[in-house]
Amino acid sequence: MPARMLPTVLFVPNRFLWITILCIALLSMGIALPTAAAEDAPVFEPTDCLLITHDVETTCGYVTVPENRENPTKNTIRLYVVIIPNSSGIENAPGIVYLAGGPGGSGTLDVDSWAGFPLLDTHDFILFDQRGTGLSQPSLNCPEVESEESDDPLSACRDRLIAEGIDLSSYTSAENAADVDAVRQALGYKVWALYGVSYGTKLALTTMRDYPDGISAVILDAVYPPNVNSTETEGPLGVRAIERMLDACAADANCGAAFPDLKANYYTWLEGLNNAPLNVSEVDYDASSIYELIFQAMYDSEAIKGLPLAIAQAIDGDLSALIEMGGGEGLGKQDPNDPDTLASLDTAEGMQFSVECAEETPFADQAVAVANAEKTPAALREALIAQVEKAFAECALWDVREAHAIENEAVVSDIPTLVFNGELDPITPPEWGELAAKTLSRSYLFTFPGLGHGAFGTAECPTEIGRAFIANPMEEPDGACLDQMSPEFYTE
């Protein structure tokens, strides 16, 4: 038995014993207590783990919190939590909580992938499904959107969720951050470290702003700070990341020699596809669908290495490698009871719309977004403008309350923070990490050549830096290994 399996018998009684003693002491001094304080304290309720875990020992359970903390006596929701004990058998080891991306991504549906994670030798690792996602209850998953069988799938999902009594305006980063702190309290940590990836970095920053006392250190990987406007810039940023990858190939002696003039050939080819799409397995691939395949592939640092070769092959008429690289695989397909349903829980579209339509679109200017899309290459321009128009139309339909202006402002903090950027990240560019670091007085900023979306654990250098930071968050890690990194590309 591992040394820090989450206590399931002693943990809750001990905490309530402490609360009881404190209450008696306060009452003896004549100090009034808030009504039902003990009942309102977050509690971890153990349950059977709902996924097959071949390589990871886990303890699982739920933490119940208010759906809307401004009206806490109304609905409650249940957050699904998974604890992976440290591999060294350290008792009372410090904890690190993983904050998944999206918004809408599950934090728990791929538990096996965390086996051997670099920090598990010294820390217990906590995964949880953020409100509305994964196996938390209720789920804001939209099978209507995934199947596209309805004439108006987004309206169908929204209407169903509202009919179920769900307050879509309560699924926000601020409520999400309150949940993070509630889980910390329920698991008995005085402080813990946050490890956020993609949207998880925005959630981490919000938690740093609202609940700083519970945080010892933070890793922000693929940074999405609140003070950027993704709705206005997503298309141009993706185009720029792909061009950076093509330029890196041209600058590399082997890649440049193997695929001369690749960027120019790529854009010429895209122009032709809009007039004559390529049909593969009864699917037509035009410029925008090829762009989407490359965009998705660039999330994966390993896939980036093969992209110039795959693009060159596609230009010659063989799309097989590019389709495979850009297609991706879903998460959570190992549940023995209902694998298809669990796979669809990988992204809760309703949670994504609730966050983005409250915190991003209201602070965006559609005219600016369209103008930015109009500056993209001609082969992609029409599709990227349509993407902008779709985003604003969907948020008008989803119709949630606009977030407070603070959700669009930089987070100021002195909590030790490690900021990681992938140089070729297609969705959260290095510039966003640099922007976030400006207002984090104890931040250490690293940008990794050749890497995509998420750096920690994908290569030796960021893993080495991350280990050093967690071991001593108050000291800047040695980044000398960056000098040995450069983009790598396969040529055959």
Side-chain angles (χ1 to χ4, degrees):
M1 178 178 177
R4 200 182 190 286
M5 285 290 287
L6 187 75
T8 57
V9 177
L10 297 178
F11 181 80
V12 173
N14 281 351
R15 186 169 59 79
F16 276 101
L17 176 61
W18 181 88
I19 291 172
T20 301
I21 294 170
L22 176 62
C23 290
I24 292 171
L26 291 173
L27 288 170
S28 69
M29 293 186 289
I31 299 175
L33 296 173
T35 304
E39 289 80 0
D40 292 340
V43 177
F44 178 79
E45 305 169 51
T47 187
D48 292 337
C49 291
L50 302 177
L51 304 174
I52 295 174
T53 52
H54 299 293
D55 304 312
V56 184
E57 189 169 2
T58 58
T59 298
C60 305
Y62 285 96
V63 175
T64 299
V65 297
E67 183 182 50
N68 181 347
R69 287 175 171 85
E70 292 182 0
N71 188 8
T73 61
K74 195 181 178 185
N75 295 344
T76 58
I77 62 177
R78 302 177 79 209
L79 307 171
Y80 182 64
V81 181
V82 177
I83 301 94
I84 306 174
N86 71 88
S87 59
S88 301
I90 302 171
E91 293 189 17
N92 300 316
I96 297 178
V97 60
Y98 168 62
L99 307 179
S106 167
T108 72
L109 291 184
D110 200 23
V111 176
D112 286 350
S113 69
W114 295 102
F117 184 67
L119 300 179
L120 267 171
D121 54 349
T122 56
H123 287 68
D124 292 347
F125 203 63
I126 298 91
L127 313 171
F128 85 103
D129 284 332
Q130 298 162 28
R131 56 175 48 213
T133 74
L135 297 170
S136 288
Q137 302 166 355
S139 169
L140 268 62
N141 186 51
C142 288
E144 300 91 340
V145 173
E146 294 162 3
S147 66
E148 297 184 343
E149 293 177 357
S150 167
D151 292 336
D152 189 357
L154 191 58
S155 292
C157 180
R158 182 181 187 279
D159 293 347
R160 174 180 58 80
L161 293 175
I162 291 174
E164 292 172 2
I166 294 171
D167 177 8
L168 297 178
S169 292
S170 292
Y171 292 77
T172 65
S173 296
E175 288 284 8
N176 216 355
D179 294 345
V180 173
D181 197 63
V183 172
R184 176 189 64 81
Q185 294 178 55
L187 299 187
Y189 290 103
K190 182 178 180 181
V191 295
W192 62 4
L194 310 183
Y195 167 43
V197 179
S198 195
Y199 166 73
T201 66
K202 183 178 183 180
L203 175 56
L205 286 162
T206 306
T207 311
M208 292 164 70
R209 181 193 72 203
D210 294 349
Y211 303 94
D213 293 343
I215 304 169
S216 58
V218 181
I219 298 177
L220 303 178
D221 196 356
V223 188
Y224 179 18
N227 52 318
V228 299
N229 200 306
S230 61
T231 310
E232 291 181 356
T233 59
E234 181 176 343
L237 289 176
V239 170
R240 185 174 66 183
I242 293 171
E243 291 187 346
R244 282 177 173 172
M245 179 268 297
L246 295 170
D247 289 341
C249 171
D252 178 83
N254 292 330
C255 191
F259 314 115
D261 301 318
L262 184 58
K263 184 161 74 170
N265 294 338
Y266 163 70
Y267 279 122
T268 300
W269 176 58
L270 290 186
E271 287 279 7
L273 287 178
N274 282 334
N275 297 320
L278 285 175
N279 186 278
V280 179
S281 301
E282 300 184 358
V283 175
D284 286 333
Y285 289 90
D286 62 6
S288 64
S289 53
I290 291 295
Y291 165 80
E292 185 64 25
L293 288 175
I294 299 171
F295 181 88
Q296 292 298 327
M298 288 192 63
Y299 276 71
D300 185 343
S301 296
E302 188 62 33
I304 288 173
K305 298 176 183 179
L307 267 176
L309 174 60
I311 291 170
Q313 291 172 338
I315 292 171
D316 289 337
D318 180 5
L319 271 64
S320 57
L322 195 57
I323 292 171
E324 181 178 356
M325 293 167 69
E329 294 293 333
L331 301 177
K333 295 184 177 178
Q334 295 179 316
D335 182 75
N337 299 316
D338 194 353
D340 293 334
T341 298
L342 269 185
S344 76
L345 294 178
D346 154 15
T347 299
E349 296 84 359
M351 172 60 172
Q352 186 171 67
F353 284 118
S354 285
V355 172
E356 295 292 288
C357 296
E359 301 171 16
E360 291 297 320
T361 307
F363 301 100
D365 185 325
Q366 185 167 353
V368 172
V370 169
N372 287 336
E374 287 175 341
K375 298 173 186 176
T376 58
L380 299 170
R381 194 172 300 148
E382 184 177 338
L384 294 177
I385 291 172
Q387 178 180 294
V388 167
E389 293 171 343
K390 181 182 179 184
F392 280 90
E394 287 175 335
C395 282
L397 189 154
W398 200 249
D399 191 27
V400 288
R401 289 189 301 273
E402 179 178 324
H404 189 279
I406 196 173
E407 305 304 337
N408 197 44
E409 298 173 3
V411 171
V412 179
S413 175
D414 62 359
I415 297 171
T417 305
L418 184 64
V419 181
F420 277 177
N421 304 306
E423 180 186 44
L424 302 179
D425 190 329
I427 191 69
T428 56
E431 292 82 356
W432 287 8
E434 294 165 7
L435 181 66
K438 287 181 179 179
T439 54
L440 305 176
S441 61
R442 289 178 178 163
S443 63
Y444 315 115
L445 174 67
F446 297 91
T447 298
F448 299 97
L451 298 191
H453 192 62
F456 190 39
T458 64
E460 184 177 345
C461 183
T463 300
E464 177 184 315
I465 292 172
R467 281 181 178 275
F469 169 75
I470 287 296
N472 187 359
M474 298 301 292
E475 181 177 327
E476 181 171 3
D478 184 355
C481 58
L482 272 167
D483 296 336
Q484 309 303 315
M485 291 187 69
S486 61
E488 299 178 42
F489 298 108
Y490 305 131
T491 57
E492 58 183 26

